[in-house]
Amino acid sequence: MKRFALLCVFLSPLAFAAEPIDWLYAEIFGGYSYLPNNLNTTLNQLSWTEARYISGYNVGGRYGYKSNPMRYELEVGYISASANRFNVNNILQTGISGQTNATDALINVYYDGHEFVLTIVPFIGGGIGYAYVSSHLYGSGPSMETEFRGTDSVLAYQGTVGLAYNFVDNYALSIAYRYFGTTKADQLGEAFQAHLASAGVTYRFDGGYYK
């Protein structure tokens, strides 16, 4: 009997957690970023190619409106990764440092699916907007010091899949995978791309309607 009572106490908040509010919400998020090569250009009569990066990060915030099963939001984010190699005139450089970054503003639309486990909801979505891409790379050898700087403003887009855990009516935790891409950044010679894994916390404002 005691075990049954404890189980009821544990499950009771979950039973009420499956009713997220249809109204305005805000979210903060952050996580891991992987950037493929995004450098293929000629600058100062030097050919810059094959940039590779170590693990990076992404952070940002979102403000939106939920009308089950749809969500509409504005997102502002920042993506960054540090370089660990690049070629100049097809020669691998040494003493590598520097970063490539993207600051973005996107309009997103999501579809929230049905709960497949109590309080856990899958979602899928996409977005389109603007990104400011910046790259600053430096090498100390093997034969001379090299430095690359490039920036561009480009059209940006993304696709997202993830899971949301609605642990109380006003709050949710989420995990997501995003593919982020842009049109060609002229000064880099390639499109900026990123594979992003992130976790977020959502607060849903009072005053709305329940689904």
Side-chain angles (χ1 to χ4, degrees):
M1 181 61 70
K2 289 183 179 179
R3 290 182 180 179
F4 178 76
L6 289 173
L7 182 62
C8 290
V9 169
F10 176 76
L11 291 178
S12 58
L14 296 180
F16 293 102
E19 299 291 342
I21 293 174
D22 278 2
W23 200 244
L24 299 174
Y25 65 89
E27 179 184 5
I28 56 173
F29 65 88
Y32 165 86
S33 300
Y34 167 74
L35 273 58
N37 172 50
N38 52 29
L39 185 64
N40 184 15
T41 191
T42 299
L43 180 66
N44 298 327
Q45 299 182 334
L46 298 175
S47 174
W48 304 77
T49 58
E50 297 298 322
R52 296 289 185 269
Y53 302 90
I54 59 177
S55 300
Y57 66 92
N58 67 93
V59 295
R62 302 182 177 109
Y63 185 80
Y65 177 79
K66 174 178 171 62
S67 178
N68 193 63
M70 306 301 296
R71 284 185 286 129
Y72 313 91
E73 68 180 28
L74 173 65
E75 172 187 320
V76 176
Y78 181 76
I79 302 166
S80 181
S82 298
N84 67 352
R85 65 168 288 167
F86 63 87
N87 291 350
V88 176
N89 294 338
N90 295 318
I91 298 173
L92 180 64
Q93 300 301 287
T94 59
I96 302 299
S97 62
Q99 294 180 328
T100 294
N101 312 308
T103 303
D104 62 84
L106 300 170
I107 296 174
N108 300 322
V109 178
Y110 297 93
Y111 174 81
D112 291 331
H114 297 290
E115 293 179 355
F116 66 95
V117 176
L118 187 64
T119 75
I120 297 179
V121 176
F123 61 86
I124 186 170
I128 190 168
Y130 156 92
Y132 177 77
V133 177
S134 174
S135 183
H136 181 197
L137 308 177
Y138 174 82
S140 60
S143 59
M144 63 178 181
E145 292 185 354
T146 54
E147 183 177 15
F148 173 85
R149 289 180 181 267
T151 62
D152 205 354
S153 298
V154 287
L155 178 70
Y157 57 90
Q158 68 178 359
T160 307
V161 293
L163 297 172
Y165 169 45
N166 301 301
F167 59 96
V168 293
D169 289 332
N170 287 80
Y171 287 92
L173 300 176
S174 64
I175 56 172
Y177 163 79
R178 289 186 291 145
Y179 170 78
F180 179 92
T182 74
T183 53
K184 181 181 177 181
D186 290 336
Q187 291 194 14
L188 277 67
E190 295 281 354
F192 179 92
Q193 301 178 78
H195 299 276
L196 311 172
S198 60
V201 179
T202 299
Y203 174 75
R204 302 186 180 98
F205 297 98
D206 287 327
Y209 300 99
Y210 290 82
K211 71 177 184 178

